[in-house]
Amino acid sequence: MSPLFLFLSFVALLSALGVVFAKNPVHSVLFLILTFFSLSGHYLLLNAQFLAAVNIIVYAGAIMVLFLFVIMFLNLNIDTEPHKPALAKIAAAVAGGSLLLIMVAAMRDIQPTGYEAATFNSQIGMVDQLGLVLYRQYLLPFELASVLFLVAMVGAVMLGKRETGERHF
């Protein structure tokens, strides 16, 4: 393993933990941007330059601006935060633990292979190959992800909408 891979993995894991454990939502978004940049570094190591550029432009750029806008729009702070009951915290821990268990079970039987020069395809991370795979094999998940983003935006607008009679400061 290269030292760059280890460094990027360390930064990605540390910043992902920062996303989860940050008290301030703006700090959490900034940690998420750092996570996206480190993942783009991994894409570059995998010879997927297009994915690295799209990850930075779309996710670290546009989506994070949207997240910051929603956070600022909702004006989240400790005073307005409702206290979560202990049952909700326990349910979240159980859901996270079961997700971890499923991920470990899914990755258990994977056998990593090394580099084989005879079967190496240098066009694997290029745009035309990515487009062929994306629109032939993964069209439905691609479209479902776009619908998910649309629903998230509509939900953010509905959450931030003021009721009639509220004062606008």
Side-chain angles (χ1 to χ4, degrees), residues 16 28-29 40 47 56 59 72 85 87 96 124 152 156 163:
S28 183
V29 168
S40 293
N47 196 26
I56 290 173
Y59 289 109
M72 302 291 183
L87 183 62
I124 209 152
E163 298 292 327

Side-chain angles (χ1 to χ4, degrees), residues 75-103:
N75 194 17
L76 299 174
N77 56 26
I78 300 295
D79 300 332
T80 61
E81 178 77 19
H83 181 69
K84 293 177 181 57
L87 183 62
K89 292 178 183 177
I90 292 171
V94 168
S98 62
L99 178 65
L100 178 67
L101 183 67
I102 290 169
M103 295 279 290

Side-chain angles (χ1 to χ4, degrees), residues 141-154:
F142 180 75
E143 292 299 326
L144 289 176
S146 64
V147 170
L148 178 68
F149 283 132
L150 178 66
V151 168
M153 285 190 295
V154 169

Side-chain angles (χ1 to χ4, degrees), residues 107-150:
M107 300 290 184
R108 184 183 58 196
D109 295 330
I110 292 179
Q111 299 295 327
T113 59
Y115 169 74
E116 295 179 18
T119 61
F120 179 70
N121 183 4
S122 65
Q123 299 297 314
I124 209 152
M126 301 303 161
V127 179
D128 58 345
Q129 297 295 320
L130 179 68
L132 288 174
V133 170
L134 185 64
Y135 291 119
R136 283 188 182 161
Q137 296 176 359
Y138 299 105
L139 182 63
L140 182 63
F142 180 75
E143 292 299 326
L144 289 176
S146 64
V147 170
L148 178 68
F149 283 132
L150 178 66

